Amino acid sequence: MILRGKIRELCKINESTELYLKVISLIFFIAISVGIITAQLFPHEAREGVEEISQQLEFISSAGTFEMFWIIFLNNAVKSFFALVSGILFGIIPVMFILINGYVIGIVGTVAIAEKGITSFLALTLPHGILEIPAVLLAASLGVMLGEKFYTQIRTRESFHPSFSSALGVFFKIVVPTLAIAALIETLLGVIDGA
C-alpha cells in the first residue's frame, strides 16, 4: 500500500487517472487474448504475418549497438508521445493504439512461443517488457484522460492547460526514462542473442 501511494505520488496519478490506467490495461490484455486466439485459429497466416514483421525490422538487428538503442527508444517514445497528445481527440487514438499493439503482441508471442518455447520467449521479452509495457500503458491512459479533460473544457470552459502540463510532466519524468531503460535492456539482450 505504501509503495502504491509513492508510485501514485511520483506519477501524479489521481483516482481518475488510475481508473483510466486500469481500463487501458484491461483493453490491452483483452487485445492480447484476441491476438492469441487469432494465432491459434489461423497459425499459418499468423506465422506469415510475423515473418513479414521480422523482415521489416531486419535493419535493426544489422544496426550497431548505439544505433539499435536509439531506434528502439525513439520508436517507443515517439509512438507513446503521439498516443498521449492525440488523446485530445476524445481519447480514441490511444485506445486504438493499445488495441492494435496488444493484438500484435498476442499474435507474435504465440508464434514465438510455438517456435522457440516459452522460456526463451520470456527471457528475451520479460526484462524490457516489464518496464516498456507499463510506460506505454501510462502514456495511453494519460492520453485518454486528456480526451476527457478536453471534452470537459468544451462543455464547461474549464481550463485545459493544467491537465496538459501535468500529463507532459509525467511523460518526460516517468515515461521517457522508463522507455530509455527498457530500450537499453532490449539492446543488450539483442546483442547477447545475436552473439
Side-chain angles (χ1 to χ4, degrees):
M1 291 296 286
I2 295 170
L3 180 61
R4 183 182 173 198
K6 289 289 181 188
I7 291 169
R8 285 179 67 175
E9 185 184 328
L10 181 65
C11 297
K12 294 183 182 175
I13 294 175
N14 55 30
E15 286 182 13
S16 173
T17 309
E18 188 176 0
L19 175 63
Y20 287 126
L21 185 55
K22 287 177 181 176
V23 171
I24 284 290
S25 299
L26 178 62
I27 290 169
F28 180 68
F29 287 112
I30 289 170
I32 288 176
S33 302
V34 173
I36 291 168
I37 293 166
T38 302
Q40 290 174 338
L41 291 175
F42 307 101
H44 179 69
E45 290 82 355
R47 200 171 294 109
E48 283 185 344
V50 171
E51 284 173 7
E52 193 175 313
I53 292 169
S54 296
Q55 287 171 2
Q56 290 174 358
L57 299 177
E58 220 168 64
F59 72 97
I60 297 176
S61 58
S62 62
T65 306
F66 183 74
E67 291 84 1
M68 188 185 294
F69 166 79
W70 281 107
I71 291 168
I72 294 168
F73 169 65
L74 288 175
N75 176 60
N76 291 330
V78 169
K79 286 180 178 176
S80 296
F81 183 73
F82 178 72
L84 186 151
V85 175
S86 65
I88 292 172
L89 302 173
F90 308 106
I92 296 166
I93 294 175
V95 171
M96 293 303 298
F97 173 71
I98 291 302
L99 276 171
I100 292 166
N101 276 279
Y103 182 70
V104 170
I105 288 170
I107 292 174
V108 171
T110 303
V111 171
I113 289 169
E115 291 179 355
K116 297 183 178 181
I118 192 162
T119 306
S120 177
F121 173 73
L122 290 176
L124 289 172
T125 58
L126 200 58
H128 65 89
I130 205 165
L131 295 171
E132 186 179 304
I133 290 172
V136 171
L137 292 176
L138 178 58
S141 63
L142 288 168
V144 175
M145 180 272 292
L146 287 180
E148 186 250 337
K149 295 294 183 186
F150 188 67
Y151 177 69
T152 301
Q153 188 223 4
I154 292 171
R155 286 190 303 113
T156 65
R157 300 293 177 188
E158 181 184 315
S159 178
F160 175 70
H161 186 262
S163 298
F164 190 69
S165 296
S166 175
L168 286 181
V170 173
F171 181 79
F172 287 109
K173 289 176 186 174
I174 306 297
V175 175
V176 169
T178 305
L179 289 177
I181 296 166
L184 180 60
I185 294 169
E186 189 173 357
T187 301
L188 295 173
L189 287 173
V191 170
I192 293 166
D193 188 48

